[in-house]
Amino acid sequence: MCGIAALQIRNAELRERLGQLMHGMLCEIVDRGPDSAGLALYGSDRLTPDGTSTVTVLETGLAAEELAEALTSALPEGADVTVTDYAESTLINARTAPAVLEATVMGVLPGVHIVGRGEHVAVLKGVGHPVELAEVYRLTATSGVQGLSHTRMATESAVTAGGAHPFTVSEDLCLVHNGSFSNHATIRRRLRRLGVEFDSENDSEVGARYVAWRMSQGADLKTALEDLGREFDGFYTLVVTTADSMAVVRDPIACKPAIIAETDDWVAMASEYRALAGLPGIEDARIFEPTPGVVYTWNVSAPVADLTVAEGATR
């Protein structure tokens, strides 16, 4: 049993409150996963300043100042590197392309575990009580466009920061999972034969790698998740986010809970309604359980439209 809470904000006037609203949602799913927790926060002026790329690493073995100096020396002049420790997560920002920053980090820290990458998302995760971790991450002081959180009760792999969700295996693409994939080992072997590399034995990472692989082949997010539904056995609720989109899908027999609420200002998903109850305007929101096996997607810049639950939706 794990907890998921996600929020996409369309009303620009509410974006200063992203962290505050996410904190309220997170507090209501703690008992679903007290082992560890993670956050993916998009569009934060503090965590992902405009014009920078962001990489999150675990267990660097270096002080922040020492790592910043090493990266500054290895990157082109003007990269303006900053390194900030958030307990087990170390956030690195630099004015360079994401792939360049990631390659440089790997060169300076061979074998380091990279758990976040992109231009728009900051990933922070670790072991411990989720609310205490949120304080370390200064969640309530964070603005942004979109947030994704997960509280974990481990079933398929060890309780580690690396095994915590979200899994961010390509730029700005994050996945969280409540449930278990029964054929993850088979799919992992197949993806490895195709050249896909893995960081852990976590079944959820296999889902993230599969979605990223399908999208690298040209599939959009909705199609990649529909393909996952045909390939993966098990039970799951998944939420996947990109720089401007959010998607939700449940397994065909809906073993794991999910509830969605949307207004003209925002769309939110959580494992339980209580995580949505404190959102502004919830009393007027359109609230529903996602249909099993249907992929729902929303884009942060698209207007809210009528939704036929039986058919799913793309915003």
Side-chain angles (χ1 to χ4, degrees):
M1 182 172 71
C2 299
I4 299 172
L7 177 63
Q8 183 186 92
I9 299 180
R10 295 198 183 96
N11 183 343
E13 293 182 2
L14 286 176
R15 290 176 181 168
E16 286 297 319
R17 297 178 59 193
L18 175 70
Q20 173 196 342
L21 297 173
M22 286 296 302
H23 188 276
M25 297 174 73
L26 179 69
C27 288
E28 297 298 337
I29 57 170
V30 168
D31 59 352
R32 297 188 61 87
D35 296 340
S36 56
L39 292 162
L41 299 164
Y42 290 80
S44 166
D45 293 338
R46 173 172 62 89
L47 299 173
T48 53
D50 285 345
T52 68
S53 298
T54 303
V55 165
T56 304
V57 296
L58 301 176
E59 300 176 3
T60 68
L62 296 176
E65 297 81 2
E66 186 179 359
L67 178 55
E69 183 177 347
L71 291 170
T72 298
S73 297
L75 285 165
E77 186 176 352
D80 191 21
V81 177
T82 61
V83 177
T84 310
D85 288 328
Y86 294 92
E88 292 160 288
S89 294
T90 296
L91 197 71
I92 302 166
N93 303 103
R95 295 189 179 280
T96 189
V100 172
L101 178 58
E102 184 171 349
T104 304
V105 170
M106 292 295 291
V108 171
L109 300 169
V112 73
H113 191 175
I114 294 179
V115 297
R117 65 263 286 172
E119 292 183 281
H120 304 283
V121 67
V123 174
L124 299 168
K125 57 185 186 176
V127 174
H129 194 280
V131 174
E132 293 176 359
L133 290 172
E135 292 303 312
V136 172
Y137 304 153
R138 296 169 55 198
L139 177 58
T140 57
T142 303
S143 62
V145 172
Q146 189 168 252
L148 177 61
S149 64
H150 186 273
T151 61
R152 184 174 184 227
M153 183 178 289
T155 58
E156 294 292 329
S157 60
V159 179
T160 64
H165 302 214
F167 284 93
T168 308
V169 300
S170 64
E171 292 176 17
D172 294 322
L173 178 71
C174 298
L175 177 146
V176 298
H177 174 203
N178 177 20
S180 178
F181 295 128
S182 58
N183 64 337
H184 63 93
T186 299
I187 296 175
R188 184 187 291 110
R189 287 193 294 270
R190 177 154 61 89
L191 290 175
R192 278 180 170 152
R193 288 195 295 270
L194 294 169
V196 177
E197 298 181 358
F198 287 81
D199 295 324
S200 74
E201 295 302 310
N202 190 295
D203 64 320
S204 304
E205 185 189 355
V206 181
R209 296 283 179 185
Y210 179 86
V211 171
W213 170 70
R214 284 293 295 118
M215 293 182 73
S216 73
Q217 294 183 315
D220 61 16
L221 179 57
K222 184 173 185 289
T223 301
L225 286 170
E226 290 171 342
D227 292 344
L228 179 148
R230 287 185 284 269
E231 296 276 356
F232 282 68
D233 296 328
F235 48 93
Y236 54 86
T237 291
L238 299 175
V239 181
V240 183
T241 49
T242 69
D244 60 1
S245 299
M246 180 172 77
V248 176
V249 64
R250 302 166 82 189
D251 66 80
I253 57 175
C255 286
K256 291 297 181 179
I259 189 163
I260 294 170
E262 58 181 347
T263 70
D264 288 342
D265 291 334
W266 49 261
V267 58
M269 175 274 171
S271 297
E272 299 183 34
Y273 173 77
R274 57 182 171 156
L276 307 176
L279 293 174
I282 187 66
E283 62 278 3
D284 298 317
R286 187 177 164 290
I287 300 170
F288 63 96
E289 290 190 26
T291 300
V294 172
V295 177
Y296 296 80
T297 66
W298 296 265
N299 187 282
V300 71
S301 61
V304 173
D306 290 338
L307 176 66
T308 302
V309 174
E311 295 178 356
T314 300
R315 292 290 192 269

